[in-house]
Amino acid sequence: MLSGRRLDLLDPTPFDIEIEDIAHGLAFVARWNGQTRGDWPYSVAEHSLLVEQAFGQISPDASAQWRLAALLHDAPEYVLGDMISPVKGALGREYGEMDERVALAVHRRFGLPAKIPAAVKKQIKLADQVSAWLEAIQIAGFSETEARGIFKVPKPAYCVGLEIRLRPPAEVRQAYLNRFSELIAVI
């Protein structure tokens, strides 16, 4: 990692995890395999910021701890990359297990429980679906009709005030670090 840390993907430890490495990696990993409109790729860091905002709309009374869990929901992708669901499925159990090991190390590093409560995990998944819907129709080239056949259509109230942002990697990296710092300060 740029921080100088060495991360063993088969046996990651919390001591190997630095938020700067996560923010940097996610700011340079493109969602949708880079197949989005705009002058900048839509990064996993930008997606994670949007998911955390959507989670706040869905669960306005959620603690900062669970908002942090929403922000970090795709943290393993800083080293594993972002793969579309059909590829993840084709790779099988091994990919999922590696993702889980990195997620566990990330959670331990930042004081989150190893296992996020099912109700919170469900709300984060719903926020992820809100983000996927917005991304699909705003920047990934899907018409609303097409998207309705593939993605879960979110409640309109969950989308109020949310916007897709395309920014240079350095800017989104800093925004991710800033939001992380805000949440950690509250926790």
Side-chain angles (χ1 to χ4, degrees), residues 60-78:
D61 297 328
S63 70
Q65 177 185 38
W66 302 137
R67 290 192 72 136
L68 180 62
L71 182 68
L72 294 171
H73 81 284
D74 277 341
E77 293 180 10
Y78 88 103

Side-chain angles (χ1 to χ4, degrees), residues 26 28-38 40-45 47 74 77 80-89 91 95 132 135-136 139-142 151 166:
L26 295 182
F28 282 90
V29 173
R31 289 215 4 118
W32 302 90
N33 288 335
Q35 299 301 306
T36 54
R37 295 183 182 108
W40 300 102
Y42 184 69
S43 71
V44 176
H47 161 78
D74 277 341
E77 293 180 10
L80 301 178
D82 181 44
M83 287 184 248
I84 57 176
S85 296
V87 173
K88 286 180 184 177
L91 291 175
Y95 175 83
E135 293 164 18
I139 60 171
F142 288 80
F151 302 95
L166 300 172

Side-chain angles (χ1 to χ4, degrees), residues 142-178:
F142 288 80
S143 69
E144 277 202 42
T145 303
E146 275 181 302
R148 285 179 188 280
I150 300 169
F151 302 95
K152 184 175 180 176
V153 180
K155 291 181 182 179
Y158 294 164
C159 300
V160 173
L162 299 179
E163 68 176 280
I164 302 291
R165 300 194 60 193
L166 300 172
R167 301 184 268 187
E171 189 177 323
V172 73
R173 175 182 60 214
Q174 192 59 53
Y176 189 94
L177 288 169
N178 291 346

Side-chain angles (χ1 to χ4, degrees), residues 35-154:
Q35 299 301 306
T36 54
R37 295 183 182 108
D39 294 332
W40 300 102
Y42 184 69
S43 71
V44 176
E46 199 73 76
H47 161 78
S48 297
L49 288 162
L50 185 62
V51 168
E52 189 265 331
Q53 288 178 319
F55 177 75
Q57 303 248 119
I58 294 163
S59 305
D61 297 328
S63 70
Q65 177 185 38
W66 302 137
R67 290 192 72 136
L68 180 62
L71 182 68
L72 294 171
H73 81 284
D74 277 341
E77 293 180 10
Y78 88 103
V79 290
L80 301 178
D82 181 44
M83 287 184 248
I84 57 176
S85 296
V87 173
K88 286 180 184 177
L91 291 175
R93 191 184 78 233
E94 290 82 8
Y95 175 83
E97 290 171 356
M98 190 177 302
D99 183 88
E100 287 175 19
R101 284 191 296 271
V102 175
L104 177 60
V106 169
H107 286 187
R108 286 183 175 154
R109 171 67 173 91
F110 300 117
L112 296 172
K115 195 164 180 91
I116 302 297
V120 174
K121 194 168 186 168
K122 183 177 179 183
Q123 292 168 329
I124 292 171
K125 182 65 176 169
L126 184 55
D128 201 22
Q129 291 169 343
V130 168
S131 181
W133 169 261
L134 293 173
E135 293 164 18
I137 62 173
Q138 291 182 18
I139 60 171
F142 288 80
S143 69
E144 277 202 42
T145 303
E146 275 181 302
R148 285 179 188 280
I150 300 169
F151 302 95
K152 184 175 180 176
V153 180

